[in-house]
Amino acid sequence: MKRIYLFCDNGMSTSMMAQRMQEVADKHNLPFECKAFSYKKISSIIEENKLDCILIGPQTKFLYDDINRRYGDKTPVMVIDATDYGMMDAEKVLKKAIVAMKKFKNN
């Protein structure tokens, strides 16, 4: 099971995206766990779980450099595209996360 966790300010708006991503993964029988959390909990979440991809909500993209510096050597970190996020295009976001994980694995 691969873990794709989304982080934003309070984890509220990303919860809907994570839920929709999970629905897409389940529909296609993909072994993913998609969940959303507040970025304030990122350290404890990562200590408790091995993440395969960290997605940051576009409203908190200012956190990218810090999160990537802290965790980017262990897992891919990316900011969710604002258009995909605004449209709640969970399939597109999931595909981009899968591409990021494949690129990270090959590096």
Side-chain angles (χ1 to χ4, degrees):
M1 176 79 58
K2 300 229 183 261
R3 290 185 176 101
I4 301 173
Y5 284 9
L6 292 71
F7 295 91
C8 73
D9 193 27
N10 290 314
M12 297 298 216
S13 56
T14 51
S15 291
M16 194 163 41
M17 176 61 78
Q19 181 179 358
R20 290 183 180 187
M21 289 172 65
Q22 188 65 58
E23 290 169 2
V24 170
D26 292 346
K27 177 182 170 185
H28 295 288
N29 295 315
L30 298 172
F32 293 117
E33 176 183 73
C34 302
K35 291 186 176 181
F37 302 92
S38 166
Y39 75 88
K40 298 166 190 153
K41 296 181 179 181
I42 194 166
S43 295
S44 61
I45 297 292
I46 290 177
E47 285 175 22
E48 297 169 12
N49 304 279
K50 182 203 174 293
L51 302 188
D52 297 286
C53 189
I54 296 171
L55 301 180
I56 303 166
Q59 69 275 33
T60 52
K61 67 182 175 186
F62 65 90
L63 298 169
Y64 173 81
D65 289 337
D66 181 53
I67 292 172
N68 191 53
R69 180 183 48 76
R70 292 168 54 199
Y71 307 110
D73 61 330
K74 299 174 197 83
T75 186
V77 177
M78 62 182 265
V79 176
I80 300 170
D81 180 81
T83 302
D84 297 340
Y85 192 83
M87 299 295 290
M88 281 289 142
D89 192 338
E91 188 165 346
K92 196 177 248 185
V93 174
L94 184 60
K95 285 179 181 178
K96 288 178 180 180
I98 292 168
V99 168
M101 288 187 292
K102 285 182 179 179
K103 284 182 182 178
F104 187 84
K105 183 179 173 186
N106 292 330
N107 286 337

